[in-house]
Amino acid sequence: MAKRPPAIYEPGELDRIRQKLGPLDPEEARQLAQKLGGEVGVEKTYIPQREHPHRKGREETVSVSVKGSAPRHRVEVIEQEDETKGWRKSKKNPSSASEDDPTKTFHLSYRERVKMDRWASDVTFEIKSPIQVLFSILSVFKDPPDLVYHRFVTERMNEYYSKLEALVTAVRSLLPRNNVHRNEAFRLRYPFAYQVMDTLRYWNIELITSELGRLQAHPRTVQVSDFSDILKAFYRPIILLEQLDIEHHVKPLFKILYTFLYQENPQEAQQKHQAMVRKALVNYPLVMKNIRYLLYPLLMKLLSDRWFDYEDFFKWRKNRIYHFLQIKESDRLSPPEPEDMGPREPKEKEAESSPAPEKEEDIPPLIQEPVETLQSTESSQGTGEQPSPQETTGGTAEHGAAPVAAVLSRAVQKGLDTLGHLFPGIPWQRLGEYPDLYPYFSRVFDFRRGYELIHPRDPMLHIAVLMHILEELFYGLRYVRFGIINTEHTDPARIDDTISRIITNWHEYIERILEKDYLHRLDEYNEALTTASDSRSSSFTKRLLLEINWIKRLYFLPYHTFDSFGPPPFNRNEITPIYSDVHSLKKILTLVAADIEEAIKKGGAERQVTCSTLDNPWEPYVFQIPNPLSVRLDALLGGKKSRKKTNAALIFFTIAVVTVLDHIMNNQQSWAYSEKAAGPLRSTEEEFSEGLSALASPDPEALFKESLKNRESPAE
């Protein structure tokens, strides 16, 4: 094989020389080569130069001079970029208009699909199961079926829907869609408030119900795309109202609605609407914040070609979201000006259909100053007075004239006085200063392990003690035959079923929720803190503390606040919140007590006056087995053979305790939600004697006997 001539010429060099020499025949070229001599060679092969990815020389030069040195030199400057900077420049801009264009289709890459699926499988969301995520990871060349975790379909969605349903039904009860007169009057008087309430009450929960029923019929085959209609119905009002602040806009609007309803019918507003307002205010933030967050991975899988965190998704995919929900930017409600929140003066033609302008004396207790509320309640008679809406809705004073925690209604004060008769030695009227109740009541009740761990300034200690007191009273209340409640605005209804249910479940509330769930976790939390010095920062300890706080909020203290973003990290028991049953019991017993007082005025037991709410008010109460409460009641009412030991008297003692417990749980202005509250764990042994030193070694029996001797006459 002939040897290949070496490549000694640059690419294109021989062509340029031939062009200069002009046309030559092969023979002439051979003779010329012999005369000139030299080495035979060929051109080099062209190889394109690779530019360094991180260096690029500038074409211009800069002048450099150093003070006190030689004249200036001109040097070439090389621009250097690190890998991070170069990567960021090459990354696609998430704000690109084309990526957020709803008219263009998108393809989800393998990497982004896996990232979304792993995020959706987080314990916070549980939209995907671990098996579904693993299958997604293994499906490299083909997209797998985009299935949804069956527990999310059957459990999580039911929980989310229940919150939404509670909000919407409460608003529909306050402003019924078929009440034309009320709707028109409210719209003319408060147009912005009407617009917000109208958006809430027309939330399409009927569509969500039907779609959920269809999906839950076959939960293991449900795909992400099947949730399209449900997500539309869920998110549309949320996006329309998301610019309104809960504290500064939504709560005042509900107060405006309550004011309007109070002017229309004060009695109905207090007996019916205040509970609906409270229900709406409790569920509104849960829907607008928690559920909005918990469903966003599902919405992201439908509308995005890449993973985003919570805030960025609603920012960078805004156009796709608006197109999906069929809304425009102009449809969203902007925060109103202060003058828009107030009433609009009606025109002459509208004056007849609109309520009269508000007067100071017409303002309902829901938005009155606490001092004014106290003055109004002091004018009522007996223990059958209605609770102030300020207590039951958790409303706040708008002008803050006095510390609200120090202002107690007359009913709560009478309840504390009654507790003082039953358990002397406790400063009940100063319960908001958190005297330590455990040393006293540990000798009254047979507390199981764990109660001693509750912090003395934790309202849970007050709740635990009052729940045990009520449990003892309920043993006698079982034998009371309740009758019918008659009101002007509702049909007559028997109350046996409601009270029987609460009494039957009460022991389960204490044993299962208070002791097994709450105290058990508190005991584990205490052990975790005492076993290692750095355990307070461990994930296990933080999770225990989070669960303790969630149990407080879900069952005992609905306004309890703590740092958490997301749902409870455990499966919630299918049990009615205790604070809700306490409030219902208070409302029922309040009506019963008022009925008894009317009967007493007409002659009571001597004339055997009947009560519609109670079938046997004048019969002796029955405790099959004596307990700490029955013994004290007997002594206070004149002994075992006293005629004052009636079911009516038992009702009065019971409602006194229920009123105090309801105030602690359901009044956002109670000491349970003040800055003095602490918890959850009793930190040092010295705290056993916090508060009054007299409680360090109390003798409840001796204190009660001494109190009886000091009484001039038995308690009525």
Side-chain angles (χ1 to χ4, degrees):
M1 176 182 285
K3 186 178 179 181
R4 178 181 175 83
I8 60 177
Y9 299 106
E10 295 297 328
E13 185 177 356
L14 294 179
D15 288 338
R16 289 194 298 270
I17 293 174
R18 289 191 184 98
Q19 291 175 5
K20 291 179 181 180
L21 292 176
L24 292 175
D25 59 10
E27 183 61 24
E28 184 181 5
R30 184 182 60 79
Q31 293 177 359
L32 184 61
Q34 289 178 350
K35 293 179 181 179
L36 294 176
E39 185 179 5
V40 177
V42 296
E43 291 183 348
K44 300 177 182 178
T45 303
Y46 176 76
I47 301 176
Q49 297 292 327
R50 292 181 60 188
E51 295 185 2
H52 195 284
H54 309 310
R55 291 193 176 186
K56 183 179 180 182
R58 295 181 183 174
E59 294 181 357
E60 69 274 13
T61 58
V62 296
S63 298
V64 179
S65 65
V66 181
K67 186 175 182 180
S69 63
R72 299 181 179 180
H73 297 276
R74 300 178 66 83
V75 297
E76 184 181 15
V77 177
I78 302 297
E79 182 182 31
Q80 296 185 355
E81 299 181 70
D82 58 18
E83 294 183 3
T84 303
K85 185 175 179 181
W87 180 82
R88 285 178 180 171
K89 283 194 172 185
S90 65
K91 185 178 179 181
K92 294 181 180 180
N93 184 0
S95 63
S96 172
S98 61
E99 294 188 9
D100 195 24
D101 187 353
T103 62
K104 296 183 178 180
T105 59
F106 63 86
H107 175 70
L108 191 62
S109 67
Y110 168 79
R111 180 180 179 181
E112 294 298 330
R113 185 193 74 210
V114 172
K115 188 184 294 186
M116 285 189 188
D117 289 344
R118 293 182 64 180
W119 182 241
S121 69
D122 187 84
V123 66
T124 304
F125 308 109
E126 286 189 337
I127 297 173
K128 290 278 187 177
S129 69
I131 299 298
Q132 291 169 346
V133 175
L134 178 61
F135 192 63
S136 177
I137 295 173
L138 297 177
S139 302
V140 180
F141 303 104
K142 184 180 179 181
D143 291 340
D146 203 3
L147 297 175
V148 179
Y149 191 18
H150 66 90
R151 287 186 56 186
F152 176 83
V153 178
T154 57
E155 297 178 13
R156 284 292 188 108
M157 284 304 300
N158 285 345
E159 182 180 349
Y160 302 160
Y161 176 76
S162 65
K163 304 298 182 187
L164 176 62
E165 184 184 38
L167 169 64
V168 177
T169 54
V171 177
R172 289 179 179 179
S173 175
L174 295 168
L175 201 63
R177 292 181 290 186
N178 57 357
N179 192 330
V180 179
H181 175 75
R182 180 183 295 178
N183 278 274
E184 187 66 14
F186 188 64
R187 183 185 66 82
L188 296 175
R189 187 71 174 157
Y190 301 99
F192 183 79
Y194 176 83
Q195 196 173 3
V196 173
M197 299 302 164
D198 195 51
T199 303
L200 291 174
R201 66 179 180 169
Y202 276 96
W203 209 314
N204 198 350
I205 59 175
E206 291 79 13
L207 173 64
I208 298 175
T209 303
S210 62
E211 286 296 307
L212 271 182
R214 180 178 63 84
L215 298 182
Q216 289 174 353
H218 48 87
R220 295 184 181 273
T221 61
V222 175
Q223 299 192 22
V224 171
S225 58
D226 295 330
F227 273 89
S228 177
D229 291 339
I230 293 178
L231 291 175
K232 285 181 183 178
F234 251 112
Y235 272 99
R236 195 173 194 278
I238 290 177
I239 300 300
L240 292 176
L241 301 175
E242 67 177 348
Q243 297 186 88
L244 302 183
D245 183 76
I246 295 176
E247 294 294 332
H248 298 92
H249 302 131
V250 178
K251 285 188 177 181
L253 292 177
F254 273 100
K255 290 182 179 181
I256 288 173
L257 178 57
Y258 181 82
T259 302
F260 176 84
L261 297 175
Y262 185 89
Q263 294 172 346
E264 185 180 271
N265 191 324
Q267 187 173 1
E268 184 181 19
Q270 289 189 353
Q271 293 181 356
K272 177 182 177 182
H273 297 321
Q274 63 182 13
M276 293 295 103
V277 170
R278 178 181 173 276
K279 185 178 180 181
L281 290 177
V282 168
N283 287 282
Y284 185 90
L286 296 178
V287 173
M288 301 299 290
K289 291 185 176 180
N290 290 18
I291 298 180
R292 183 182 191 262
Y293 172 73
L294 294 170
L295 288 177
Y296 108 87
L298 200 60
L299 186 65
M300 180 169 59
K301 286 187 67 65
L302 279 176
L303 303 181
S304 180
D305 61 342
R306 66 178 59 192
W307 177 89
F308 290 99
D309 62 19
Y310 176 57
E311 297 295 340
D312 286 345
F313 169 67
F314 288 95
K315 177 181 179 181
W316 298 120
R317 292 295 177 264
K318 183 176 69 172
N319 293 334
R320 288 188 180 274
I321 294 173
Y322 285 7
H323 183 266
F324 176 72
L325 301 177
Q326 299 179 353
I327 61 175
K328 298 177 293 185
E329 183 68 33
S330 58
D331 296 332
R332 303 170 71 202
L333 295 183
S334 302
E337 298 296 332
E339 56 269 17
D340 295 333
M341 297 283 286
R344 176 182 294 179
E345 292 300 327
K347 300 177 182 179
E348 293 182 2
K349 294 182 180 181
E350 300 170 351
E352 297 180 0
S353 61
S354 301
E358 298 175 10
K359 298 180 181 179
E360 186 175 354
E361 60 269 17
D362 292 335
I363 299 177
L366 180 69
I367 54 175
Q368 280 185 336
E369 294 289 340
V371 176
E372 296 171 350
T373 304
L374 179 60
Q375 291 173 351
S376 65
T377 53
E378 286 178 347
S379 63
S380 59
Q381 301 293 328
T383 59
E385 60 191 89
Q386 285 290 330
S388 71
Q390 180 78 21
E391 292 178 19
T392 56
T393 59
T396 57
E398 295 182 354
H399 305 290
V404 185
V407 180
L408 300 176
S409 68
R410 185 166 176 254
V412 176
Q413 290 176 341
K414 291 183 68 174
L416 294 172
D417 287 339
T418 303
L419 286 167
H421 295 319
L422 289 169
F423 302 100
I426 298 288
W428 292 102
Q429 290 292 343
R430 293 191 288 119
L431 204 58
E433 298 178 11
Y434 288 100
D436 194 352
L437 302 185
Y438 178 77
Y440 186 101
F441 283 98
S442 62
R443 302 183 64 174
V444 177
F445 302 115
D446 186 18
F447 284 150
R448 57 162 284 182
R449 176 185 174 184
Y451 287 91
E452 75 281 359
L453 298 176
I454 304 177
H455 198 290
R457 292 198 306 277
D458 189 343
M460 284 299 297
L461 184 57
H462 296 177
I463 291 172
V465 168
L466 293 175
M467 287 184 69
H468 276 276
I469 293 174
L470 284 175
E471 184 182 31
E472 302 296 328
L473 291 173
F474 287 166
Y475 287 120
L477 208 64
R478 295 176 186 271
Y479 299 97
V480 177
R481 297 194 302 272
F482 292 93
I484 297 175
I485 289 182
N486 289 301
T487 61
E488 296 180 3
H489 305 282
T490 60
D491 296 331
R494 294 199 62 85
I495 56 180
D496 273 337
D497 294 340
T498 303
I499 292 184
S500 296
R501 178 185 62 81
I502 295 174
I503 291 176
T504 302
N505 292 337
W506 199 257
H507 181 71
E508 185 180 10
Y509 291 161
I510 294 177
E511 189 177 62
R512 182 176 174 185
I513 303 300
L514 179 60
E515 296 180 346
K516 183 178 178 181
D517 287 349
Y518 185 81
L519 294 183
H520 176 69
R521 285 177 171 83
L522 193 63
D523 189 24
E524 287 186 332
Y525 182 65
N526 178 57
E527 291 182 2
L529 293 182
T530 55
T531 52
S533 58
D534 59 343
S535 60
R536 189 176 295 272
S537 59
S538 69
S539 58
F540 175 70
T541 308
K542 291 181 179 179
R543 182 182 178 88
L544 280 176
L545 183 60
L546 182 64
E547 292 179 356
I548 289 170
N549 282 310
W550 267 113
I551 293 173
K552 273 188 181 182
R553 178 188 289 182
L554 291 176
Y555 298 105
F556 300 100
L557 298 166
Y559 302 108
H560 174 62
T561 58
F562 58 97
D563 294 332
S564 175
F565 195 74
F570 54 85
N571 292 328
R572 179 177 175 180
N573 293 320
E574 295 298 327
I575 294 181
T576 304
I578 300 171
Y579 62 81
S580 178
D581 271 354
V582 169
H583 188 64
S584 299
L585 184 62
K586 178 197 172 185
K587 291 171 63 177
I588 293 174
L589 293 183
T590 297
L591 296 174
V592 174
D595 195 24
I596 294 173
E597 285 194 337
E598 289 297 324
I600 291 175
K601 293 177 182 179
K602 298 177 181 178
E606 294 182 359
R607 296 186 178 181
Q608 290 295 307
V609 179
T610 59
C611 299
S612 61
T613 58
L614 208 61
D615 294 340
N616 58 343
W618 318 121
E619 293 182 7
Y621 57 69
V622 177
F623 286 87
Q624 294 289 351
I625 301 175
N627 62 46
L629 266 297
S630 67
V631 171
R632 282 170 164 74
L633 290 180
D634 291 346
L636 289 173
L637 296 173
K640 294 183 178 181
K641 297 182 179 181
S642 174
R643 292 184 178 180
K644 296 180 181 179
K645 293 174 44 182
T646 61
N647 288 327
L650 179 61
I651 292 292
F652 284 122
F653 277 99
T654 304
I655 193 176
V657 182
V658 171
T659 300
V660 176
L661 183 58
D662 178 71
H663 175 79
I664 295 173
M665 288 180 164
N666 295 309
N667 187 347
Q668 199 172 0
Q669 310 305 322
S670 74
W671 58 82
Y673 304 105
S674 69
E675 295 180 356
K676 292 183 179 180
L681 190 64
R682 192 183 291 267
S683 58
T684 63
E685 294 182 359
E686 295 178 357
E687 288 176 342
F688 275 101
S689 59
E690 266 192 6
L692 297 180
S693 58
L695 296 180
S697 57
D699 185 352
E701 296 300 326
L703 291 172
F704 182 72
K705 291 178 181 179
E706 183 180 354
S707 175
L708 282 178
K709 292 179 181 178
N710 296 332
R711 291 173 63 86
E712 297 180 358
S713 60
E716 291 292 326

